[in-house]
Structure formats: structure tokens, C-alpha cells
Amino acid sequence: MGFRDKVVYQIYPKSFQDSNSDGWGDIQGIISRLDYLEKLGINYIWFNPMIVSPQRDNGYDVADYRNFDPRYGTMEDFEQLSAEAAKRGIGLMFDMVFNHTSTEHEWFKKAMAGDEKYKKYYIFRKGKGPGVPPNNWQSKFAGPAWEYVEKFDEWYLHLFDVTQADLDWTNPEVRKECADIVNYWRSKGVHGFRFDVINLISKSSFEDDPNNFDGRQFYTDGPMEHEYLQELNRNSFGQDPDHVTVGEMSSTTIDNCVRYANGDGKELDMVFSFHHLKVDYKNQKKWELQPMDFMSLKRLLSDWQIGMQEADAWNALFWNCHDQPRSISRFGNDKEYRKESGKMLATALHMMRGTPYIYQGEEIGMPNAYFTDISQYVDVESTNIYKVLKEEGKSEEEIIHILQERSRDNARTPMQWDDTANAGFTDGTPWIQAAESYHTVNVKKTLEDPDSIFAHYQKLIEMRKTMPVVQEGLFIPLLQEHPKIFAYERRTEEDSLIVLNNFFAEETEADLDLEGYEVYLSNYKDTEVLNHMILRPYESVILKKK
Ligand code: GLC
């Protein structure tokens, strides 16, 4: 499989590098940083959407699927990027947002003007009574999932923001439009695609959620989901032998993911699932804090590794993305053990079976933004939840604390290039403030340090590229009951790696038969192989069979 020896780097273009002082990242900015990515060693870049959008949800509210938002650049800029990336052996992956469009998209505008063809592109339904929506589903960004349109005396569905209207995938014309869009980008030389919340496209029924939850059981991994994906595959990317695809799967199951990405090539190449990133949600609720439940984290990672492996299906491996707070602040220690824990998280992830994704800034250990005032937050999800939590009577202080831990803006602050104004991201006014940490955590400083987190990522990427045991080895969990260490073996007939990761700031002990193993990579200088090992704070070690 073409992607089993590859690593993907995610760029959030709006925050990566500005080249024209307008405070927005852009394509020319990205081109100017390709040497940096080549140095890191990655194979693909996945870009968050750069196409025309009112930016209510930063590009996930698409108004035109075929043209770049001029703030990012032009088609010529993109062609240059594509050529420059190819020179460095880097492939490009684009984000396809097909569950919904912006209400500014011409399809929706035509629908609202009463054009029946386009009304059928969306999900309009009668309410249950005057002022009562068709059902009790909740938007993922807070509030009801339906918006009333007086003119039709109907409501349209929006699982996300009110300006993101859900497309009706039961309509074959919608499915054809989506395949055409993929083919359009293929004709521009794009081989890689990430499909946004793609497991929400098949809605099963529009009944009330009896548990008064949010309705997700009626639209997640729905009945036609696999058929739709197979059709999209056949009619678009599946025709390209070099394609690489990943689906973002919201609240999914292993059983479904085995079908989405089982290596038969009929649906997708790999999947993002999110269960392991909810182990610090109290009662499964994103806006309620609790320390990470480490035993659940271990169990979820192992279950997904094994469940997918048994079916020869493939995981996308990730701690970070544009929707998640920074892993180093969440599962590591961004203060006294920033370097150790940054490397530990990298090792724990990169040595698993699957394709690792690195989110911009992760490779230098960027922490959460720790904004202290609501005016600093931009994300629609954060500003919405701020109001909801206020109404629930939470104090300002408490809400800011929650946002510091959970807001998506933690991932979206400017990439920290150096310690000049705005972290070297722009010499204009950035669309979102740079996080204070840029004074000490930045690329320039990192590259001066031979023992940096970045240098550690380089080594892990090199291992993925060159070692069959990393690419193809069986995943076998170890020390499953250990309360502090996440450990596993990767094994092929010829080779074996044992990976031990202390997820805590205290020393801890591990008893394993390590006869015949030697240290291959560690985040401490003097790690020794002993059958009774004492791992220091966040110590992480890869042992290789001699
Ligand atoms: C995905 C995207 C997220 C976006 C949402 C709606 O989860 O990653 O950023 O807000 O879909 O498109």
C-alpha cells in the first residue's frame, strides 16, 4: 500500500505563513516554508480548505468548491506550490467538505429563491407545529439543528453552524456534483483527499432523539454511508492509482471503520476517529473538564489498533488537528517537561500501526494559546459555547478556563516561526493573535537545538520510511494494566520493536523480559535496557531486537 511508509503534515493555511502583510496565511507563504517541511521529512501536506468561503467556520462553510479564496492566492500560485512541492517529493491533500455547503453557495441561494432543483440539494422539512422544528436534534455548534425559512414554512437542517446547510445525499445529483468536484481537483494534479465529517452524509430517519441527546444516532454511519462512499470512489479518486484518501469519522465505531478503510480499495484508504481524544471529557461532554483518563486512553488506542489490524484496515494516527487543543498541554506537560513529553507523545503515536499526521507546530512542541479574554477567541464554536455557558450561570473565569483547555483556537494561532512580532507569521495584523509562548517556543530556536522535539520527529519519520517493522509490523499491546506506561510491541518475522512510554511526570517501573533488545531511540540520553526498568518523567524509549 503506497501510504504505509508515509507521514502527513497538516497545514492550517490561514495561520501558517503570511506573505503579503494582510494578516492571513497564503499559498506564497506556504511555498516559502517548503524547505522547512522537506527538512522535517514529511511526504504529504493536507491543507484545510482554501476555497471561497465566508469564513464563518474558517473555510468549512464552502461557497465555491472550485476557486481559491483570493486571500490565499490564485490558481497560478497553487500551480507553483504544486510544482515546488513535487520537486521536494511532497504530495498534496485537499479537504473536501461534502456534508454541507455555506448558505452563500449558489446552490443554496438558488434553493432559497425557490428553484426546486436546488431545494432538493438540501434537507428542507416541515416543522412539527408553528415555531416547532421537525425534530429535537442539536447542532454540533450549540442550539437547534434546524433553521426556519418563513417563505417556505419549512426548516432546513444544519448539523453545524446555521450558515452550513446539510446536503441531501439521497439526491443522485448531489452525489454527482461531489464526484465532479473531486475530479476537478484531480485534473489540477491533486491526488490526496481528506473528506470532512464524511460519515454524517447518510441520515437514517428524521425522528426525535428519544434520549434527548443530539440526534447523532440518526445521522452517524447511516444506512447508505458505505454505498455512497463506494460510488464516490468509483466515480472519482478510485480511478487514480496514486490516490490517498482519509475520512474524518465523527463518533464512529471500529466495525464501520473496518469497512471504510479495509484495504480492498473500495471506500477510503484510512480514517480519523476521535474516541481517544475524549478521555478528558467529563461524562463525554466536551465542555466539562477532567484530567485525562489514562487507562481509557490506553484501552482505546489498543482497541483501535487491534480492531483495525485484524481486518487489515488502516488508521490515521493523530494527537492534534485544527479542531483539537494542543496535545502537549493536554496529555503531556507544557511547562517543566515540554521537551520530554513532546518527544514521548511523538514516539507513542508514530510507532503505532497506521499513518501518522503531524499538525503544524506540534513538531516544535507548541502549547495551547492560553488566551485570557473572550475577545481573543475567534472560533464560532467557542463564541457560541461562551454564550451558552454564560446562560448556564458559569463565571467568566470558569468559562475562560474551559476555553483555555478546549477551544479549537488553541490549534489555530499563528505558526511560531521566530520571536519577532506575531511570531514571524505576519508583519500585518494577524486574524487571530499569536500565543504568548512564541517568545520561547519557535522554529528558529528549535532548529538551533540538535536535541529538539523537531529533531526527534525527524528520526521517527525516517524510521517510518525505512523500517518494515514500523510500516507493517503487528501491533501487540504490553503492560496493559500498568497505570502509567503505554507500551506495545511491533513485530514482523524478522524484527521486533518494544515501545515504552511513561505518560506521567513521576518515575515509574516496568518489568518486562527485554533480553536481546537494545535502545534504538530515547528521549533521555542514558537510557539502559534492564528487565526491571525505571522510566523517568515522560521517558519514552524504543527498543529494537538485536
Ligand atoms: C470538521 C472540521 C471542522 C468543521 C466541521 C464542519 O469537523 O474538521 O473544522 O468545523 O467539520 O465542517
Side-chain angles (χ1 to χ4, degrees), residues 260-295:
Y260 292 136
N262 69 3
D264 69 3
K266 291 207 172 106
E267 297 186 21
L268 300 172
D269 292 327
M270 56 187 137
V271 285
F272 289 117
S273 67
F274 292 85
H275 300 282
H276 67 296
L277 297 178
K278 296 182 181 170
V279 296
D280 51 1
Y281 290 12
K282 194 167 167 189
N283 309 319
Q284 292 284 310
K285 296 208 172 93
K286 174 164 181 173
W287 306 106
E288 293 183 19
L289 307 181
Q290 71 170 22
M292 78 162 158
D293 174 349
F294 179 62
M295 295 314 277

Short mmCIF file of all heavy atoms in Angstrom, two decimals, residues 260-295:
data_model
loop_
_atom_site.label_atom_id
_atom_site.label_comp_id
_atom_site.label_asym_id
_atom_site.label_seq_id
_atom_site.Cartn_x
_atom_site.Cartn_y
_atom_site.Cartn_z
N TYR A 260 -14.86 1.17 6.13
CA TYR A 260 -14.44 2.38 5.40
C TYR A 260 -13.03 2.23 4.82
O TYR A 260 -12.74 2.76 3.77
CB TYR A 260 -14.42 3.61 6.33
CG TYR A 260 -15.78 4.06 6.82
CD1 TYR A 260 -15.97 4.41 8.15
CD2 TYR A 260 -16.85 4.15 5.94
CE1 TYR A 260 -17.21 4.84 8.60
CE2 TYR A 260 -18.09 4.57 6.40
CZ TYR A 260 -18.27 4.92 7.73
OH TYR A 260 -19.48 5.34 8.19
N ALA A 261 -12.17 1.52 5.56
CA ALA A 261 -10.74 1.57 5.19
C ALA A 261 -10.09 0.20 5.30
O ALA A 261 -9.04 0.05 5.91
CB ALA A 261 -10.02 2.57 6.10
N ASN A 262 -10.73 -0.83 4.71
CA ASN A 262 -10.21 -2.18 4.94
C ASN A 262 -9.21 -2.67 3.92
O ASN A 262 -8.93 -3.85 3.83
CB ASN A 262 -11.36 -3.19 5.06
CG ASN A 262 -12.05 -3.39 3.73
OD1 ASN A 262 -11.63 -2.83 2.72
ND2 ASN A 262 -13.10 -4.18 3.73
N GLY A 263 -8.68 -1.76 3.12
CA GLY A 263 -7.61 -2.19 2.23
C GLY A 263 -8.07 -2.82 0.93
O GLY A 263 -7.25 -3.14 0.09
N ASP A 264 -9.38 -3.00 0.75
CA ASP A 264 -9.82 -3.53 -0.54
C ASP A 264 -9.95 -2.41 -1.57
O ASP A 264 -10.24 -2.65 -2.74
CB ASP A 264 -11.14 -4.33 -0.40
CG ASP A 264 -12.33 -3.44 -0.06
OD1 ASP A 264 -12.16 -2.20 0.03
OD2 ASP A 264 -13.44 -3.98 0.12
N GLY A 265 -9.75 -1.18 -1.10
CA GLY A 265 -9.73 -0.05 -2.02
C GLY A 265 -11.10 0.41 -2.49
O GLY A 265 -11.21 1.28 -3.34
N LYS A 266 -12.16 -0.16 -1.92
CA LYS A 266 -13.49 0.20 -2.43
C LYS A 266 -14.02 1.50 -1.82
O LYS A 266 -14.87 2.17 -2.39
CB LYS A 266 -14.47 -0.93 -2.12
CG LYS A 266 -14.20 -2.18 -2.92
CD LYS A 266 -15.48 -2.98 -3.10
CE LYS A 266 -15.26 -4.12 -4.05
NZ LYS A 266 -15.20 -5.43 -3.39
N GLU A 267 -13.55 1.82 -0.60
CA GLU A 267 -14.04 3.05 0.02
C GLU A 267 -12.85 3.99 0.21
O GLU A 267 -12.42 4.63 -0.74
CB GLU A 267 -14.80 2.71 1.32
CG GLU A 267 -16.04 1.87 0.99
CD GLU A 267 -16.98 1.59 2.15
OE1 GLU A 267 -16.96 2.33 3.15
OE2 GLU A 267 -17.75 0.61 2.05
N LEU A 268 -12.29 4.06 1.41
CA LEU A 268 -11.21 5.03 1.65
C LEU A 268 -9.93 4.29 2.04
O LEU A 268 -9.96 3.10 2.34
CB LEU A 268 -11.62 5.98 2.77
CG LEU A 268 -12.89 6.81 2.50
CD1 LEU A 268 -13.31 7.55 3.75
CD2 LEU A 268 -12.67 7.79 1.35
N ASP A 269 -8.82 5.04 2.10
CA ASP A 269 -7.56 4.41 2.49
C ASP A 269 -7.40 4.36 4.01
O ASP A 269 -6.79 3.44 4.54
CB ASP A 269 -6.38 5.16 1.89
CG ASP A 269 -6.32 5.01 0.39
OD1 ASP A 269 -6.72 3.93 -0.10
OD2 ASP A 269 -5.92 5.96 -0.30
N MET A 270 -7.89 5.39 4.69
CA MET A 270 -7.73 5.40 6.15
C MET A 270 -8.73 6.34 6.79
O MET A 270 -9.38 7.14 6.10
CB MET A 270 -6.30 5.77 6.53
CG MET A 270 -5.84 7.09 5.95
SD MET A 270 -4.08 7.34 6.28
CE MET A 270 -3.53 7.98 4.71
N VAL A 271 -8.81 6.24 8.12
CA VAL A 271 -9.84 7.02 8.84
C VAL A 271 -9.27 7.71 10.06
O VAL A 271 -8.41 7.19 10.78
CB VAL A 271 -10.98 6.10 9.33
CG1 VAL A 271 -11.87 5.69 8.19
CG2 VAL A 271 -10.44 4.88 10.07
N PHE A 272 -9.82 8.89 10.31
CA PHE A 272 -9.62 9.56 11.60
C PHE A 272 -10.79 9.19 12.50
O PHE A 272 -11.95 9.36 12.09
CB PHE A 272 -9.72 11.08 11.44
CG PHE A 272 -8.59 11.74 10.72
CD1 PHE A 272 -8.82 12.40 9.52
CD2 PHE A 272 -7.32 11.77 11.26
CE1 PHE A 272 -7.78 13.06 8.86
CE2 PHE A 272 -6.28 12.43 10.61
CZ PHE A 272 -6.51 13.08 9.41
N SER A 273 -10.50 8.69 13.69
CA SER A 273 -11.57 8.54 14.68
C SER A 273 -11.13 9.30 15.92
O SER A 273 -9.93 9.58 16.09
CB SER A 273 -11.80 7.07 14.99
OG SER A 273 -10.67 6.55 15.64
N PHE A 274 -12.07 9.63 16.77
CA PHE A 274 -11.78 10.63 17.81
C PHE A 274 -11.95 10.15 19.25
O PHE A 274 -11.81 10.93 20.18
CB PHE A 274 -12.68 11.85 17.59
CG PHE A 274 -12.31 12.59 16.33
CD1 PHE A 274 -12.84 12.20 15.11
CD2 PHE A 274 -11.40 13.62 16.37
CE1 PHE A 274 -12.46 12.85 13.93
CE2 PHE A 274 -11.02 14.28 15.21
CZ PHE A 274 -11.55 13.90 13.99
N HIS A 275 -12.26 8.88 19.43
CA HIS A 275 -12.57 8.43 20.79
C HIS A 275 -11.41 8.69 21.77
O HIS A 275 -11.63 9.05 22.91
CB HIS A 275 -12.96 6.96 20.78
CG HIS A 275 -14.17 6.70 19.93
ND1 HIS A 275 -15.44 6.99 20.37
CD2 HIS A 275 -14.30 6.24 18.66
CE1 HIS A 275 -16.30 6.70 19.41
NE2 HIS A 275 -15.63 6.26 18.36
N HIS A 276 -10.18 8.50 21.28
CA HIS A 276 -9.04 8.69 22.18
C HIS A 276 -8.86 10.16 22.56
O HIS A 276 -8.09 10.46 23.47
CB HIS A 276 -7.76 8.13 21.54
CG HIS A 276 -7.30 8.88 20.31
ND1 HIS A 276 -8.03 8.95 19.14
CD2 HIS A 276 -6.19 9.60 20.08
CE1 HIS A 276 -7.37 9.68 18.25
NE2 HIS A 276 -6.25 10.08 18.79
N LEU A 277 -9.52 11.05 21.86
CA LEU A 277 -9.39 12.47 22.19
C LEU A 277 -10.58 12.97 23.02
O LEU A 277 -10.85 14.16 23.10
CB LEU A 277 -9.23 13.28 20.91
CG LEU A 277 -7.95 12.93 20.12
CD1 LEU A 277 -7.86 13.73 18.83
CD2 LEU A 277 -6.69 13.18 20.97
N LYS A 278 -11.26 12.01 23.64
CA LYS A 278 -12.36 12.40 24.53
C LYS A 278 -12.12 11.90 25.95
O LYS A 278 -13.01 11.98 26.79
CB LYS A 278 -13.69 11.84 23.98
CG LYS A 278 -14.02 12.46 22.63
CD LYS A 278 -15.34 11.99 22.05
CE LYS A 278 -15.54 12.67 20.71
NZ LYS A 278 -16.65 12.11 19.94
N VAL A 279 -10.92 11.40 26.21
CA VAL A 279 -10.66 10.81 27.52
C VAL A 279 -10.49 11.86 28.62
O VAL A 279 -10.38 11.53 29.79
CB VAL A 279 -9.41 9.89 27.50
CG1 VAL A 279 -9.65 8.69 26.59
CG2 VAL A 279 -8.15 10.64 27.09
N ASP A 280 -10.51 13.13 28.23
CA ASP A 280 -10.53 14.18 29.25
C ASP A 280 -11.86 14.94 29.22
O ASP A 280 -11.96 16.04 29.75
CB ASP A 280 -9.32 15.13 29.09
CG ASP A 280 -9.16 15.66 27.68
OD1 ASP A 280 -9.99 15.33 26.80
OD2 ASP A 280 -8.20 16.41 27.44
N TYR A 281 -12.86 14.34 28.58
CA TYR A 281 -14.22 14.92 28.62
C TYR A 281 -14.94 14.28 29.80
O TYR A 281 -15.05 13.06 29.86
CB TYR A 281 -15.02 14.56 27.36
CG TYR A 281 -14.61 15.22 26.08
CD1 TYR A 281 -13.41 15.93 25.96
CD2 TYR A 281 -15.43 15.13 24.95
CE1 TYR A 281 -13.05 16.50 24.75
CE2 TYR A 281 -15.07 15.71 23.74
CZ TYR A 281 -13.89 16.39 23.65
OH TYR A 281 -13.54 16.95 22.45
N LYS A 282 -15.44 15.10 30.69
CA LYS A 282 -16.20 14.53 31.81
C LYS A 282 -17.58 14.14 31.30
O LYS A 282 -18.23 14.94 30.62
CB LYS A 282 -16.31 15.60 32.90
CG LYS A 282 -16.76 15.09 34.22
CD LYS A 282 -16.51 16.17 35.25
CE LYS A 282 -17.22 15.86 36.53
NZ LYS A 282 -17.14 17.00 37.43
N ASN A 283 -18.04 12.97 31.63
CA ASN A 283 -19.33 12.46 31.15
C ASN A 283 -19.48 12.59 29.64
O ASN A 283 -20.57 12.90 29.14
CB ASN A 283 -20.51 13.19 31.81
CG ASN A 283 -20.39 13.23 33.31
OD1 ASN A 283 -20.00 12.23 33.91
ND2 ASN A 283 -20.69 14.37 33.92
N GLN A 284 -18.38 12.43 28.92
CA GLN A 284 -18.40 12.52 27.45
C GLN A 284 -18.75 13.93 26.95
O GLN A 284 -19.07 14.12 25.79
CB GLN A 284 -19.44 11.54 26.85
CG GLN A 284 -19.08 10.08 27.01
CD GLN A 284 -17.99 9.67 26.02
OE1 GLN A 284 -18.08 9.92 24.83
NE2 GLN A 284 -16.93 9.07 26.53
N LYS A 285 -18.69 14.91 27.84
CA LYS A 285 -19.08 16.26 27.42
C LYS A 285 -17.85 17.13 27.23
O LYS A 285 -17.06 17.34 28.14
CB LYS A 285 -20.02 16.88 28.47
CG LYS A 285 -21.32 16.13 28.61
CD LYS A 285 -22.43 17.07 29.08
CE LYS A 285 -23.78 16.38 29.02
NZ LYS A 285 -24.15 15.74 30.30
N LYS A 286 -17.75 17.66 26.02
CA LYS A 286 -16.57 18.43 25.65
C LYS A 286 -16.30 19.62 26.57
O LYS A 286 -15.16 19.95 26.86
CB LYS A 286 -16.74 18.92 24.20
CG LYS A 286 -15.66 19.85 23.73
CD LYS A 286 -15.66 20.00 22.22
CE LYS A 286 -14.54 20.92 21.77
NZ LYS A 286 -14.39 20.97 20.33
N TRP A 287 -17.36 20.25 27.05
CA TRP A 287 -17.16 21.49 27.81
C TRP A 287 -17.11 21.25 29.31
O TRP A 287 -17.21 22.17 30.09
CB TRP A 287 -18.23 22.53 27.42
CG TRP A 287 -18.22 22.71 25.93
CD1 TRP A 287 -19.15 22.25 25.04
CD2 TRP A 287 -17.19 23.34 25.14
NE1 TRP A 287 -18.77 22.55 23.75
CE2 TRP A 287 -17.58 23.23 23.78
CE3 TRP A 287 -15.99 24.00 25.44
CZ2 TRP A 287 -16.81 23.74 22.73
CZ3 TRP A 287 -15.23 24.50 24.39
CH2 TRP A 287 -15.63 24.37 23.06
N GLU A 288 -16.98 19.98 29.69
CA GLU A 288 -16.77 19.66 31.11
C GLU A 288 -15.40 19.02 31.26
O GLU A 288 -15.09 18.03 30.61
CB GLU A 288 -17.87 18.73 31.62
CG GLU A 288 -19.22 19.45 31.64
CD GLU A 288 -20.33 18.58 32.22
OE1 GLU A 288 -20.04 17.60 32.92
OE2 GLU A 288 -21.49 18.92 31.93
N LEU A 289 -14.59 19.61 32.14
CA LEU A 289 -13.19 19.20 32.23
C LEU A 289 -12.97 18.07 33.23
O LEU A 289 -13.61 18.02 34.27
CB LEU A 289 -12.34 20.39 32.69
CG LEU A 289 -12.47 21.70 31.90
CD1 LEU A 289 -11.52 22.75 32.49
CD2 LEU A 289 -12.16 21.49 30.43
N GLN A 290 -12.02 17.22 32.89
CA GLN A 290 -11.48 16.27 33.87
C GLN A 290 -10.06 15.93 33.41
O GLN A 290 -9.75 16.03 32.22
CB GLN A 290 -12.34 15.00 33.98
CG GLN A 290 -12.26 14.10 32.78
CD GLN A 290 -12.93 12.74 33.00
OE1 GLN A 290 -13.78 12.58 33.85
NE2 GLN A 290 -12.54 11.75 32.20
N PRO A 291 -9.20 15.51 34.31
CA PRO A 291 -7.87 15.09 33.87
C PRO A 291 -8.02 13.88 32.95
O PRO A 291 -9.00 13.16 33.04
CB PRO A 291 -7.17 14.68 35.17
CG PRO A 291 -8.03 15.13 36.29
CD PRO A 291 -9.41 15.34 35.75
N MET A 292 -7.03 13.66 32.09
CA MET A 292 -7.18 12.53 31.15
C MET A 292 -7.32 11.23 31.94
O MET A 292 -6.67 11.03 32.96
CB MET A 292 -5.98 12.44 30.21
CG MET A 292 -4.77 11.83 30.85
SD MET A 292 -3.56 11.27 29.65
CE MET A 292 -2.11 11.27 30.70
N ASP A 293 -8.19 10.37 31.42
CA ASP A 293 -8.36 9.04 31.99
C ASP A 293 -7.38 8.14 31.23
O ASP A 293 -7.68 7.68 30.12
CB ASP A 293 -9.82 8.62 31.80
CG ASP A 293 -10.08 7.20 32.23
OD1 ASP A 293 -9.11 6.46 32.48
OD2 ASP A 293 -11.26 6.82 32.31
N PHE A 294 -6.22 7.96 31.83
CA PHE A 294 -5.13 7.29 31.11
C PHE A 294 -5.47 5.85 30.74
O PHE A 294 -5.13 5.39 29.65
CB PHE A 294 -3.85 7.35 31.95
CG PHE A 294 -2.68 6.68 31.30
CD1 PHE A 294 -2.18 7.13 30.09
CD2 PHE A 294 -2.07 5.58 31.88
CE1 PHE A 294 -1.10 6.51 29.47
CE2 PHE A 294 -0.99 4.95 31.28
CZ PHE A 294 -0.51 5.42 30.07
N MET A 295 -6.16 5.15 31.64
CA MET A 295 -6.47 3.75 31.33
C MET A 295 -7.40 3.68 30.11
O MET A 295 -7.29 2.79 29.27
CB MET A 295 -7.06 3.03 32.53
CG MET A 295 -6.10 2.88 33.70
SD MET A 295 -4.43 2.33 33.26
CE MET A 295 -4.65 0.55 33.17
#
